[in-house]
Amino acid sequence: AEAQSNLIHLSTDEASLMFTVKNNKLQFAYFGSRLRQPTSFEQFLGTEQEAYSTFGGKNIDEPALRATHADGNLSTELVYVKHTANRLNDNQVHTVIQLKDAFYPFLVNLNLLTSEKENIFEEWVELSHSEKKAVTIYQASSLFLPLQVQKAYLTQFYGEWASEMNMKETVLSEGVKTIESKRGVMATNVQNPSFILGINQPAQEDNGTVIMGHVAWSGSFRIAFELSSLNILSIIGGYNTFESAYRLEPGKIFETPRGVFTYSENGIGQGSRNFHNWAKKYSLRHG
């Protein structure tokens, strides 16, 4: 990650993920092919969406975070505090962007771990606070990506006993499409917590832009895809919020599962190899 004025640039060998700080707010700026000169990012169309959207205030779309504060207030408004980047080894950098509520002692650490050779990004959040009583967490997403697209083609995986992991591709229309399970440990029996997005054209094997992602969570999950009339596609994924309200006591930490995603301009094949190379090295035991 690079700190350049108000720019936060995370990169792998082939992809860049960028945020800006504007009026004390952390905004999503860019996700796509690697930018060799990050200062030129303004020529790309950022969505100017908050990088981790919250319920209340100006946001009227699907939020990444929804909480009720100790005094009963339903709104959370996050402002940027600072960020740090720590190189773990010759291939991985862990970036932590610290956000806090503008009015409450409520902290959100946005974690991003890049695996450079594999072009994999991992995202998760840690919530903590020092309010007088417990804060109720109703939603804390692992993955939030607001992208500018002309069209998006979603491939999902579904099935039933003895017929798991069937592929189906649909073009996303305005509104919210969700992939979810409320079945607890049987999460992947009917739906799978992973997706492929063909950007502006159906996903191809060896060419075209695709974004592929996964929620690394074996329980009930939910991934929502919200497409606005302004062609902003927000991907919001994590544990399923159904019957999942959590009382976070002062001084304790709530950590979400990880959202894992990759970017490929050489179709599904390259994206799949990114995931397999990463899983063998960092995810699977004795991979």
Side-chain angles (χ1 to χ4, degrees), residues 261-278:
F261 57 100
T262 191
Y263 175 87
S264 166
E265 290 191 341
N266 297 303
I268 301 170
Q270 184 60 57
S272 180
R273 288 187 288 276
N274 290 348
F275 260 105
H276 279 79
N277 292 337
W278 167 82

Side-chain angles (χ1 to χ4, degrees), residues 228-245:
S228 78
S229 57
L230 300 176
N231 292 330
I232 294 172
L233 174 65
S234 295
I235 307 168
I236 310 126
Y239 69 88
N240 199 315
T241 57
F242 179 76
E243 291 296 312
S244 294

Side-chain angles (χ1 to χ4, degrees), residues 43-227:
Q43 66 183 290
F44 295 91
L45 194 58
T47 61
E48 292 197 343
Q49 303 293 299
E50 283 193 61
Y52 196 71
S53 71
T54 58
F55 175 77
K58 294 179 180 178
N59 179 44
I60 56 174
D61 297 321
E62 287 268 317
L65 176 67
R66 185 167 69 91
T68 298
H69 295 278
D71 63 2
N73 193 330
L74 305 178
S75 298
T76 301
E77 184 179 338
L78 297 179
V79 294
Y80 169 84
V81 179
K82 64 179 181 179
H83 73 279
T84 56
N86 179 30
R87 178 164 284 282
L88 305 182
N89 49 55
D90 64 356
N91 189 49
Q92 292 185 304
V93 176
H94 179 203
T95 301
V96 181
I97 306 172
Q98 190 178 102
L99 309 169
K100 78 173 289 292
D101 191 277
F103 304 98
Y104 293 92
F106 180 85
L107 298 177
V108 175
N109 280 350
L110 180 61
N111 291 266
L112 292 140
L113 177 61
T114 51
S115 297
E116 294 163 347
K117 292 184 181 67
E118 296 78 18
N119 298 301
I120 290 287
F121 297 80
E122 298 174 60
E123 181 178 357
W124 71 100
V125 296
E126 296 166 312
L127 311 178
S128 61
H129 71 92
S130 56
E131 298 185 29
K132 292 179 181 178
K133 294 180 181 178
V135 172
T136 304
I137 307 299
Y138 288 100
Q139 179 171 346
S141 299
S142 305
L143 174 64
F144 182 75
L145 275 178
L147 307 167
Q148 188 84 43
V149 299
Q150 294 304 311
K151 265 193 173 180
Y153 295 80
L154 171 68
T155 298
Q156 67 189 96
F157 301 90
Y158 69 95
E160 192 47 87
W161 181 81
S163 181
E164 297 88 355
M165 285 296 280
N166 298 287
M167 288 176 64
K168 184 174 182 64
E169 185 177 61
T170 53
V171 61
L172 291 175
S173 58
E174 287 76 7
V176 183
K177 160 77 174 179
T178 61
I179 301 170
E180 66 176 331
S181 168
K182 301 184 182 77
R183 298 184 175 214
V185 293
M186 291 178 64
T188 58
N189 181 234
V190 173
Q191 296 285 344
N192 192 275
S194 56
F195 64 88
I196 299 168
L197 280 172
I199 304 300
N200 300 331
Q201 67 177 35
Q204 308 292 321
E205 181 66 27
D206 297 315
N207 61 76
T209 300
V210 295
I211 293 169
M212 300 170 68
H214 177 76
V215 176
W217 180 241
S218 58
S220 299
F221 66 88
R222 180 177 185 265
I223 309 173
F225 304 86
E226 181 172 32
L227 183 63

